[in-house]
Amino acid sequence: MEWLTAPFEVSFVQRALWGGMLVSAICALAGTWVVLRGMAFLGDAMSHGLLPGVALAALFGGNLLVGAVASAAVMTAGVTALGRTPRLSQDTGIGLLFVGMLSLGVIIVSRSQSFAVDLTGFLFGDVLAVRQQDLVLLVLALFAALSVSVLGHRAFLALAFDPRKATTLGLRPRLAHAVLLGLLGLAIVASFHIVGTLLVLGLLIAPPAAALPWARSVRGVMVLAALLGGTATFGGLLLSWHLGTAAGATVSALAVSLFFLSHVASGLRHRRTRLVHAPPHTSTERSLRRSS
């Protein structure tokens, strides 16, 4: 069993594991609503929209996290404002913000002498470089995400399944949507240092989507998604150590693999259930048809 425990005896791998576990929990809270509302494109756009703030912070020697938070705030405000424009579809507004913010970020980063290094770190992250202070920030981010999820659960639930009923119940769906965007931004900002913006959707979407066929409630999806994300983190770091692959990409790839395995298993389960509950004559008719 040494091959299973040896990597996690190293301090920086231990920090990477804890960081990945915390990020998995944060992404489970936000990602569940992303999956239920079909907001994957928005998540992708917001993750890439962090680039201008991160680029400016890197260019002027500031804190990258502060730059990411600033960009996330701009993206959240922009998506909220464009969503209230009746003549413009939400997808169009998100797409324009996505391209505009990404283009601005690349322009800013291109002015830096370390263009390749900065952009690579932003896109792919570095889970093995997680520091002790990063873990503290992730714990605070998890508490913030959990608080928002608990306080806004009823409004988010109504918004996900029937926005018109949310208005009828006085749950202020526009405000709930803005808060939900803030929760999504928090998850992306907390995650980009771990797996990068190109791979953050792996932890944000894959675990909740994998949990969806097996859970019976929204809270169940969140809990199971956090467990699956933690499993992907542990397995990804283990495989990365022994195979010499990029840690963040391996974690993200394993999360996506768990999604496909989950849906294959779910499909087999439903097929078996249909066969078990099928009327007796149905199976007989099928046998006769095949023999003929």
Side-chain angles (χ1 to χ4, degrees):
M1 297 294 290
E2 185 179 352
W3 66 274
L4 189 64
T5 59
F8 302 101
E9 294 175 359
V10 182
S11 58
F12 67 84
V13 181
Q14 292 175 2
R15 290 194 298 270
L17 178 61
W18 280 109
M21 294 290 187
L22 291 169
V23 164
S24 296
I26 297 169
C27 286
L29 294 171
T32 297
W33 300 113
V34 171
V35 171
L36 290 176
R37 297 198 62 201
M39 297 165 56
F41 176 59
L42 175 59
D44 188 35
M46 288 194 68
S47 65
H48 288 79
L50 301 185
L51 183 54
V54 173
L56 283 173
L59 189 61
F60 293 104
N63 190 309
L64 299 185
L65 183 62
V66 173
V69 170
S71 278
V74 171
M75 282 292 295
T76 300
V79 171
T80 302
L82 290 174
R84 297 177 180 176
T85 305
R87 296 184 179 180
L88 187 67
S89 69
Q90 189 174 25
D91 283 348
T92 302
I94 292 171
L96 291 174
L97 274 174
F98 174 23
V99 175
M101 292 288 281
L102 185 60
S103 300
L104 178 61
V106 172
I107 290 171
I108 296 171
V109 175
S110 65
R111 298 288 299 172
S112 173
Q113 298 297 322
S114 56
F115 173 83
V117 175
D118 291 339
L119 190 57
T120 300
F122 172 77
L123 293 176
F124 301 106
D126 189 0
V127 65
L128 297 178
V130 174
R131 301 165 298 176
Q132 196 68 35
Q133 52 265 43
D134 294 327
L135 294 178
V136 175
L137 291 175
L138 286 174
V139 170
L140 294 176
L142 176 58
F143 276 116
L146 188 59
S147 300
V148 171
S149 298
V150 171
L151 294 175
H153 181 80
R154 186 163 174 258
F156 294 162
L157 195 63
L159 189 64
F161 294 104
D162 194 348
R164 288 177 295 181
K165 189 174 182 179
T167 304
T168 305
L169 295 173
L171 295 175
R172 304 178 68 182
R174 287 187 176 180
L175 176 61
H177 181 67
V179 174
L180 185 56
L181 290 179
L183 178 62
L184 176 59
L186 174 64
I188 292 171
V189 168
S191 307
F192 90 94
H193 179 63
I194 305 297
V195 291
T197 57
L198 278 182
L199 305 174
V200 67
L201 287 183
L203 287 179
L204 189 65
I205 294 178
L212 205 57
W214 307 96
R216 296 185 177 181
S217 66
V218 173
R219 291 186 179 90
V221 173
M222 290 178 176
V223 172
L224 185 53
L227 293 175
L228 290 171
T231 301
T233 299
F234 179 85
L237 290 173
L238 185 65
L239 290 173
S240 171
W241 177 273
H242 290 294
L243 300 178
T245 56
T250 307
V251 170
S252 185
L254 189 55
V256 175
S257 299
L258 290 175
F259 160 74
F260 285 112
L261 288 173
S262 169
H263 278 261
V264 168
S266 176
L268 293 174
R269 181 188 66 169
H270 285 300
R271 183 179 178 183
R272 182 180 178 182
T273 302
R274 286 197 302 268
L275 290 174
V276 169
H277 292 90
H281 68 274
T282 302
S283 58
T284 306
E285 288 176 359
R286 287 177 181 171
S287 300
L288 291 172
R289 287 175 185 174
R290 287 174 184 172
S291 61
S292 61

